[in-house]
Amino acid sequence: MKEQSKVHWFLVWQLVKVALTIQFKKSFIGITWLFLAPILAIIAWVLLHGAGVINPGDTGIPYPAYVLLSMSLWGFFSDAYTGTSHILLNNSRILLTTSTSSNVLMLEAIIVHLIRFSIPMLLNVFVLIAFDVDLHWLGLLFPIALLPLLLLSAGAGLIVGLFRVVAIDLANIIDHGVRFLMFLTPIIYAPKLEIPWIGTIVNYNPLTYLIGMPRDMLTNGSMELLPGFMMSTLLSGVFFSVAYVIFTRSEKKILERLINN
C-alpha cells in the first residue's frame, strides 16, 4: 500500500511539473503573465469607478486593492472549477490506455491550480501594503479559509466534467452561469447593497461568504461573515463529498461511452 502511494505521488508531481512547464513555455513572457493578468483584469473596473459609472459602496480598503484581491479570489474559484471540470475530457486517452487513477489527475489539477494562485497572490500582498492596508494577524489563517471555496469549486467541476462528455450543451450553459455568478458575488462592489432584491440574492449566495470571509480576515480581521461562512463551509463539504461519489461511480460508464464514440 505504501509503495503504491509513493508511485501515485511520484506520478502526481511529474504531471505537475509537465503541466507547469507546458503552460509557461507557451507564453513569451512566461510566468510574468500570472502577475500581469490580474492587473489587466481590474483596469476596466477601476476606470469605471473613477469615471463614476459604478458605485461599489464602502469597500473598507482602497478600491484598486479591493478589486485586485477580490478578482484573485474569484479566479481561485473559477480556475479550480475549470481545471477539475476538464479532467475526464482532457485525459480520456490516459484513463483509457493506462491504469492511471482519476484521483491522480484530480490531485495534479488542484496542485497546479494552487501553485498558479500563490504566485499572483504575492502581488496582492504588496499592493495591499502599498495602499497602506494594515494586514491583520487573522490573515495567517487565509490559506485554511480558502479550503471550503476549493471544495465547492472542485465539486462543481467534477459534476460538470461528467456533463462535458454526455451533455456538452448543458456543460456550456453551466459555464456561462458560473461566469454570470461573478456579478452576483461581492467582487467589484461591497457586500452591502442598496437594491433590496439584489441584496437578497447576494445574501443567499454562498460565494459571498466563502470569498468575503478570507478577504476580511486578511485585510481587517472582521468576523462579521462568520455565521454565513460556517454554513457555506458545511454545505461545500457535503456537496463535494456527494459530487466525488457521483464522479467516481459514473467514471467507468462515461469512459465506456467515450470508447463507443
Side-chain angles (χ1 to χ4, degrees):
M1 184 66 68
K2 288 184 178 180
E3 199 65 33
Q4 186 178 10
S5 178
K6 288 181 179 179
V7 172
H8 283 170
W9 276 109
F10 175 78
L11 181 57
V12 167
W13 287 114
Q14 292 304 310
L15 290 172
V16 167
K17 291 178 183 179
V18 171
L20 291 174
T21 301
I22 292 176
Q23 288 180 17
F24 295 140
K25 276 188 174 181
K26 286 182 179 179
S27 172
F28 178 74
I29 58 177
I31 199 172
T32 309
W33 183 249
L34 293 181
F35 293 96
L36 292 179
I39 295 176
L40 295 175
I42 70 167
I43 288 178
W45 300 113
V46 172
L47 290 177
L48 289 173
H49 174 235
V53 176
I54 60 173
N55 180 17
D58 183 14
T59 55
I61 61 176
Y63 188 65
Y66 178 87
V67 174
L68 179 61
L69 179 56
S70 299
M71 289 293 290
S72 296
L73 291 172
W74 173 259
F76 181 84
F77 167 78
S78 62
D79 290 349
Y81 160 79
T82 300
T84 52
S85 70
H86 284 83
I87 288 175
L88 275 184
L89 196 61
N90 290 351
N91 299 284
S92 57
R93 181 172 297 180
I94 295 176
L95 292 170
L96 289 170
T97 58
T98 69
S99 59
T100 302
S101 168
S102 58
N103 290 330
V104 170
L105 299 173
M106 195 184 311
L107 282 172
E108 178 262 332
I110 291 175
I111 291 173
V112 169
H113 168 63
L114 292 176
I115 293 174
R116 286 176 56 85
F117 172 75
S118 63
I119 296 173
M121 190 59 208
L122 294 175
L123 174 64
N124 278 274
V125 173
F126 288 123
V127 170
L128 290 171
I129 294 174
F131 278 98
D132 293 325
V133 176
D134 294 327
L135 301 181
H136 198 272
W137 67 267
L138 281 176
L140 296 174
L141 301 177
F142 180 81
I144 299 176
L146 291 179
L147 290 178
L149 187 60
L150 181 62
L151 291 177
L152 180 62
S153 57
L158 292 178
I159 296 297
V160 175
L162 299 175
F163 294 150
R164 291 203 191 283
V165 180
V166 299
I168 185 64
D169 290 335
L170 179 57
N172 289 335
I173 291 174
I174 296 175
D175 286 344
H176 288 295
V178 169
R179 295 187 191 101
F180 179 74
L181 189 59
M182 188 191 82
F183 298 101
L184 299 177
T185 306
I187 302 297
I188 59 174
Y189 51 81
K192 296 181 180 179
L193 301 175
E194 297 181 359
I195 305 176
W197 67 272
I198 296 182
T200 300
I201 295 175
V202 170
N203 288 336
Y204 281 99
N205 179 3
L207 290 175
T208 297
Y209 308 98
L210 295 181
I211 289 178
M213 187 68 183
R215 180 178 60 206
D216 288 349
M217 290 172 64
L218 183 62
T219 57
N220 55 42
S222 171
M223 304 294 285
E224 182 180 352
L225 299 177
L226 183 59
F229 177 78
M230 296 302 293
M231 179 60 69
S232 299
T233 296
L234 177 61
L235 292 175
S236 297
V238 172
F239 176 70
F240 175 79
S241 299
V242 173
Y244 179 77
V245 171
I246 293 175
F247 180 84
T248 52
R249 290 185 177 181
S250 304
E251 178 187 354
K252 290 184 178 180
K253 293 181 179 180
I254 298 298
L255 290 176
E256 289 175 0
R257 178 160 181 166
L258 283 173
I259 295 174
N260 295 331
N261 291 340

